[in-house]
Amino acid sequence: MLSLAARSGAFAPYLSATAYPVASQLKPLAPGVVLRANDVLLDLKKSFLCRESLSWQAARTGLAATTSINETLICKISVRYAHSDISVPDFSDYRRADVLDSKKSSQESSDSRRGFSYLLTGTTAIVTAYAAKAVVTQFVTSMSASADVLALSKIEIKLADIPEGKNMTFKWRGKPLFVRHRSQKEIDHEAGVSLTELRDPQHDLDRVKKPEWMIVIGVCTHLGCVPIANAGEYGGYYCPCHGSHYDASGRIRKGPAPYNLEVPYYEFHSDDLLVVG
């Protein structure tokens, strides 16, 4: 039995140790050399030092340490030999036939393994792409206009009901729509305006399909107010909220508005029928 005694002092609460030395299974690289002696000094009357001769006093348990303040620290060490009959599990049922032979190089089965990896990766990518497409389609569809809104996306206007020089307001897609029947004097005046005088340069002929009909959305480009028709310093539209003045072509001429009134998409189905949208 191997015993170690030491003074612990005030460090006794922090001293604790456990050890399990395991005998090595490695064999020596070279056999030991035994020198032949002439006489062997051996007293057969004395018993050998073994567990039986020591009356079972040899170490049989793990390292145990007990101590207290100003007492000795006693350590006991025992050796446990590992078993040599440990069997390794057989995983042959879970391995592919190409890699069962441990003597073959892994390069010989690389093609089959690479093909399986490519197949799995491609399948995963296709499934992911279809799932992403379905999610995006569902998300975009939920934001599209409903059926009742699409039904009101177009409006038909009878132009014969609008006299010359007058402006009529219609509701289209929740916004006011100005349809103005311009006189020849207004057409000539707006066509003669120089583009250098305009904040948002745009010729009058670029804003109309027929010079006598001016179609704009009645929303001020400043803060979204609704202008008043046939008003302002230029005889077109006037926004009383912040003082933006537009001419008869819907172009900004004075005030804080930065852009001209928006011209929607429209078509003339006949000389008397206008379809907006």
Side-chain angles (χ1 to χ4, degrees):
M1 179 180 67
L2 177 61
S3 298
L4 175 63
R7 284 289 179 180
S8 61
F11 298 95
Y14 307 98
L15 297 179
S16 177
T18 304
Y20 291 94
V22 180
S24 175
Q25 298 293 327
L26 300 177
K27 296 182 180 180
L29 298 178
V33 179
V34 180
L35 299 178
R36 185 180 182 82
N38 295 329
D39 297 326
V40 179
L41 300 179
L42 180 63
D43 189 359
L44 299 178
K45 296 181 180 180
K46 295 182 179 181
S47 58
F48 295 100
L49 293 179
C50 60
R51 175 173 292 186
E52 287 75 10
S53 64
L54 292 176
S55 300
W56 296 90
Q57 295 181 3
R60 296 188 300 272
T61 61
L63 180 63
T66 58
T67 183
S68 63
I69 299 177
N70 297 328
E71 291 186 0
T72 59
L73 176 65
I74 302 176
C75 300
K76 296 182 180 180
I77 301 177
S78 63
V79 178
R80 183 180 70 86
Y81 292 94
H83 298 283
S84 58
D85 58 346
I86 298 177
S87 59
V88 179
D90 186 11
F91 297 98
S92 300
D93 296 338
Y94 304 96
R95 300 173 64 183
R96 291 190 294 271
D98 298 335
V99 295
L100 286 178
D101 192 355
S102 60
K103 297 181 180 180
K104 291 184 178 180
S105 175
S106 60
Q107 298 295 332
E108 299 180 7
S109 60
S110 60
D111 294 337
S112 61
R113 291 185 287 108
R114 189 181 297 112
F116 176 78
S117 300
Y118 289 162
L119 177 62
L120 182 61
T121 304
T123 304
T124 304
I126 293 175
V127 172
T128 304
Y130 272 97
K133 175 180 175 295
V135 172
V136 172
T137 303
Q138 185 69 20
F139 179 73
V140 173
T141 304
S142 64
M143 295 190 300
S144 61
S146 58
D148 56 343
V149 175
L150 294 177
L152 299 176
S153 61
K154 292 185 178 183
I155 183 175
E156 295 182 356
I157 301 173
K158 292 183 179 181
L159 299 178
D161 297 336
I162 306 174
E164 183 177 344
K166 298 298 182 179
N167 182 91
M168 291 191 68
T169 305
F170 302 88
K171 185 178 180 181
W172 176 68
R173 294 184 180 179
K175 300 177 183 179
L177 179 69
F178 293 162
V179 179
R180 187 186 188 95
H181 191 178
R182 300 191 301 181
S183 62
Q184 188 61 39
K185 182 180 178 180
E186 289 177 333
I187 296 173
D188 296 339
H189 181 270
E190 301 303 334
V193 175
S194 176
L195 296 181
T196 57
E197 301 177 8
L198 301 176
R199 181 179 303 172
D200 186 10
Q202 194 174 15
H203 199 275
D204 180 68
L205 297 178
D206 297 334
R207 295 174 57 82
V208 294
K209 293 184 178 181
K210 289 184 178 182
E212 63 271 21
W213 296 105
M214 185 68 215
I215 297 95
V216 294
I217 296 177
V219 176
C220 181
T221 58
H222 179 221
L223 292 177
C225 304
V226 179
I228 300 174
N230 297 323
E233 298 181 6
Y234 298 89
Y237 306 94
Y238 172 67
C239 181
C241 299
H242 304 93
S244 297
H245 297 261
Y246 301 88
D247 59 16
S249 185
R251 297 174 297 189
I252 181 63
R253 303 296 295 273
K254 184 179 178 181
Y259 305 108
N260 303 329
L261 294 179
E262 182 183 355
V263 177
Y265 176 79
Y266 63 91
E267 292 180 349
F268 290 97
H269 285 199
S270 65
D271 294 338
D272 190 39
L273 182 61
L274 171 68
V275 178
V276 181

